[in-house]
PDB file of all heavy atoms in Angstrom:
ATOM      1  N   PHE M 103      85.973  79.946 100.823  1.00 98.00           N
ATOM      2  CA  PHE M 103      84.833  79.586 101.586  1.00 98.00           C
ATOM      3  C   PHE M 103      84.590  80.351 102.777  1.00 98.00           C
ATOM      4  O   PHE M 103      85.565  80.940 103.354  1.00 98.00           O
ATOM      5  CB  PHE M 103      84.933  78.110 101.908  1.00 98.00           C
ATOM      6  CG  PHE M 103      85.862  77.771 103.158  1.00 98.00           C
ATOM      7  CD1 PHE M 103      85.309  77.504 104.460  1.00 98.00           C
ATOM      8  CD2 PHE M 103      87.154  77.624 102.918  1.00 98.00           C
ATOM      9  CE1 PHE M 103      86.117  77.241 105.507  1.00 98.00           C
ATOM     10  CE2 PHE M 103      88.053  77.398 104.000  1.00 98.00           C
ATOM     11  CZ  PHE M 103      87.506  77.224 105.270  1.00 98.00           C
ATOM     12  N   ARG M 105      83.030  80.096 106.709  1.00 98.00           N
ATOM     13  CA  ARG M 105      82.456  79.308 107.685  1.00 98.00           C
ATOM     14  C   ARG M 105      82.315  80.152 109.035  1.00 98.00           C
ATOM     15  O   ARG M 105      83.295  80.529 109.714  1.00 98.00           O
ATOM     16  CB  ARG M 105      83.417  78.096 107.956  1.00 98.00           C
ATOM     17  CG  ARG M 105      82.747  76.979 108.831  1.00 98.00           C
ATOM     18  CD  ARG M 105      82.041  77.367 110.107  1.00 98.00           C
ATOM     19  NE  ARG M 105      81.546  76.184 110.808  1.00 98.00           N
ATOM     20  CZ  ARG M 105      80.394  76.132 111.321  1.00 98.00           C
ATOM     21  NH1 ARG M 105      79.571  77.193 111.153  1.00 98.00           N
ATOM     22  NH2 ARG M 105      80.070  75.165 112.018  1.00 98.00           N
ATOM     23  N   ASN M 107      80.334  80.608 112.590  1.00 97.00           N
ATOM     24  CA  ASN M 107      79.459  79.857 113.744  1.00 97.00           C
ATOM     25  C   ASN M 107      78.544  80.866 114.393  1.00 97.00           C
ATOM     26  O   ASN M 107      77.607  80.322 114.922  1.00 97.00           O
ATOM     27  CB  ASN M 107      80.507  79.417 114.864  1.00 97.00           C
ATOM     28  CG  ASN M 107      81.270  78.217 114.242  1.00 97.00           C
ATOM     29  OD1 ASN M 107      80.930  76.987 114.547  1.00 97.00           O
ATOM     30  ND2 ASN M 107      82.421  78.466 113.612  1.00 97.00           N
ATOM     31  N   ASP M 208      82.648  88.070 117.300  1.00 97.00           N
ATOM     32  CA  ASP M 208      81.345  87.548 116.662  1.00 97.00           C
ATOM     33  C   ASP M 208      80.320  87.366 117.715  1.00 97.00           C
ATOM     34  O   ASP M 208      80.550  87.122 118.867  1.00 97.00           O
ATOM     35  CB  ASP M 208      81.607  86.511 115.607  1.00 97.00           C
ATOM     36  CG  ASP M 208      82.369  85.426 116.108  1.00 97.00           C
ATOM     37  OD1 ASP M 208      83.070  85.485 117.158  1.00 97.00           O
ATOM     38  OD2 ASP M 208      82.359  84.394 115.394  1.00 97.00           O
ATOM     39  N   ILE M 220      82.345  80.585 119.231  1.00 98.00           N
ATOM     40  CA  ILE M 220      83.431  79.707 119.176  1.00 98.00           C
ATOM     41  C   ILE M 220      84.700  80.362 119.774  1.00 98.00           C
ATOM     42  O   ILE M 220      84.951  81.467 119.720  1.00 98.00           O
ATOM     43  CB  ILE M 220      83.783  79.225 117.595  1.00 98.00           C
ATOM     44  CG1 ILE M 220      84.820  78.216 117.483  1.00 98.00           C
ATOM     45  CG2 ILE M 220      84.112  80.426 116.784  1.00 98.00           C
ATOM     46  CD1 ILE M 220      84.925  77.463 116.105  1.00 98.00           C
ATOM     47  N   HIS M 249      85.897  87.342 106.748  1.00 98.00           N
ATOM     48  CA  HIS M 249      87.014  86.445 107.011  1.00 98.00           C
ATOM     49  C   HIS M 249      87.911  87.000 108.169  1.00 98.00           C
ATOM     50  O   HIS M 249      88.963  86.503 108.429  1.00 98.00           O
ATOM     51  CB  HIS M 249      88.073  86.334 105.734  1.00 98.00           C
ATOM     52  CG  HIS M 249      87.178  85.637 104.594  1.00 98.00           C
ATOM     53  ND1 HIS M 249      86.839  84.321 104.684  1.00 98.00           N
ATOM     54  CD2 HIS M 249      86.801  86.010 103.459  1.00 98.00           C
ATOM     55  CE1 HIS M 249      86.165  83.983 103.632  1.00 98.00           C
ATOM     56  NE2 HIS M 249      86.042  85.110 102.903  1.00 98.00           N
ATOM     57  N   ARG M 254      93.070  88.721 112.735  1.00 98.00           N
ATOM     58  CA  ARG M 254      92.715  87.294 112.653  1.00 98.00           C
ATOM     59  C   ARG M 254      93.872  86.439 113.231  1.00 98.00           C
ATOM     60  O   ARG M 254      95.002  86.656 112.649  1.00 98.00           O
ATOM     61  CB  ARG M 254      92.249  86.927 111.306  1.00 98.00           C
ATOM     62  CG  ARG M 254      92.029  85.446 111.207  1.00 98.00           C
ATOM     63  CD  ARG M 254      91.432  84.991 109.857  1.00 98.00           C
ATOM     64  NE  ARG M 254      90.763  83.680 110.065  1.00 98.00           N
ATOM     65  CZ  ARG M 254      90.154  83.014 109.160  1.00 98.00           C
ATOM     66  NH1 ARG M 254      90.013  83.603 107.929  1.00 98.00           N
ATOM     67  NH2 ARG M 254      89.637  81.881 109.367  1.00 98.00           N
ATOM     68  N   SER M 265      91.888  79.134 113.535  1.00 98.00           N
ATOM     69  CA  SER M 265      92.297  80.473 112.999  1.00 98.00           C
ATOM     70  C   SER M 265      91.117  81.348 113.336  1.00 98.00           C
ATOM     71  O   SER M 265      90.219  81.731 112.433  1.00 98.00           O
ATOM     72  CB  SER M 265      92.519  80.437 111.553  1.00 98.00           C
ATOM     73  OG  SER M 265      93.644  79.564 111.234  1.00 98.00           O
ATOM     74  N   LYS M 267      88.745  84.357 113.857  1.00 98.00           N
ATOM     75  CA  LYS M 267      88.434  85.633 113.118  1.00 98.00           C
ATOM     76  C   LYS M 267      88.100  86.778 114.075  1.00 98.00           C
ATOM     77  O   LYS M 267      87.634  86.413 115.279  1.00 98.00           O
ATOM     78  CB  LYS M 267      87.286  85.400 112.115  1.00 98.00           C
ATOM     79  CG  LYS M 267      87.616  84.263 111.232  1.00 98.00           C
ATOM     80  CD  LYS M 267      86.659  84.208 109.914  1.00 98.00           C
ATOM     81  CE  LYS M 267      85.470  83.343 110.239  1.00 98.00           C
ATOM     82  NZ  LYS M 267      84.654  83.222 108.915  1.00 98.00           N
ATOM     83  N   TYR M 289      85.302  69.162 117.061  1.00 96.00           N
ATOM     84  CA  TYR M 289      86.652  69.110 116.448  1.00 96.00           C
ATOM     85  C   TYR M 289      87.489  67.950 117.137  1.00 96.00           C
ATOM     86  O   TYR M 289      88.670  68.148 117.365  1.00 96.00           O
ATOM     87  CB  TYR M 289      87.388  70.594 116.632  1.00 96.00           C
ATOM     88  CG  TYR M 289      86.590  71.438 115.735  1.00 96.00           C
ATOM     89  CD1 TYR M 289      85.726  72.396 116.289  1.00 96.00           C
ATOM     90  CD2 TYR M 289      86.720  71.480 114.329  1.00 96.00           C
ATOM     91  CE1 TYR M 289      85.059  73.251 115.563  1.00 96.00           C
ATOM     92  CE2 TYR M 289      85.969  72.360 113.563  1.00 96.00           C
ATOM     93  CZ  TYR M 289      85.162  73.242 114.130  1.00 96.00           C
ATOM     94  OH  TYR M 289      84.418  74.077 113.374  1.00 96.00           O
TER      95      TYR M 289
HETATM   96  N1  MTE B  13      85.645  84.324 115.586  1.00 54.17           N
HETATM   97  C1  MTE B  13      85.347  83.235 114.789  1.00 54.17           C
HETATM   98  N2  MTE B  13      86.509  82.512 114.214  1.00 54.17           N
HETATM   99  C2  MTE B  13      86.250  81.505 113.381  1.00 54.17           C
HETATM  100  C3  MTE B  13      84.979  80.972 113.101  1.00 54.17           C
HETATM  101  C4  MTE B  13      83.936  81.670 113.681  1.00 54.17           C
HETATM  102  O1  MTE B  13      82.743  81.360 113.598  1.00 54.17           O
HETATM  103  N3  MTE B  13      84.091  82.705 114.517  1.00 54.17           N
HETATM  104  N4  MTE B  13      84.898  79.884 112.391  1.00 54.17           N
HETATM  105  C5  MTE B  13      86.090  78.976 112.412  1.00 54.17           C
HETATM  106  C6  MTE B  13      85.907  77.918 111.380  1.00 54.17           C
HETATM  107  S1  MTE B  13      85.120  76.467 112.040  1.00 54.17           S
HETATM  108  C7  MTE B  13      86.530  77.884 110.204  1.00 54.17           C
HETATM  109  S2  MTE B  13      86.495  76.575 109.256  1.00 54.17           S
HETATM  110  C8  MTE B  13      87.262  79.141 109.725  1.00 54.17           C
HETATM  111  C9  MTE B  13      86.627  79.535 108.423  1.00 54.17           C
HETATM  112  O2  MTE B  13      87.399  80.769 107.903  1.00 54.17           O
HETATM  113  P1  MTE B  13      86.900  81.503 106.689  1.00 54.17           P
HETATM  114  O3  MTE B  13      85.500  81.835 106.956  1.00 54.17           O
HETATM  115  O4  MTE B  13      87.755  82.735 106.640  1.00 54.17           O
HETATM  116  O5  MTE B  13      87.074  80.649 105.443  1.00 54.17           O
HETATM  117  O6  MTE B  13      87.210  80.272 110.623  1.00 54.17           O
HETATM  118  C10 MTE B  13      87.271  79.854 111.936  1.00 54.17           C
HETATM  119  N5  MTE B  13      87.403  80.981 112.833  1.00 54.17           N
END
Side-chain angles (χ1 to χ4, degrees):
F103 77 100
R105 197 306 184 228
N107 288 265
D208 47 345
I220 187 166
H249 295 295
R254 175 174 198 177
S265 295
K267 308 193 270 191
Y289 298 101

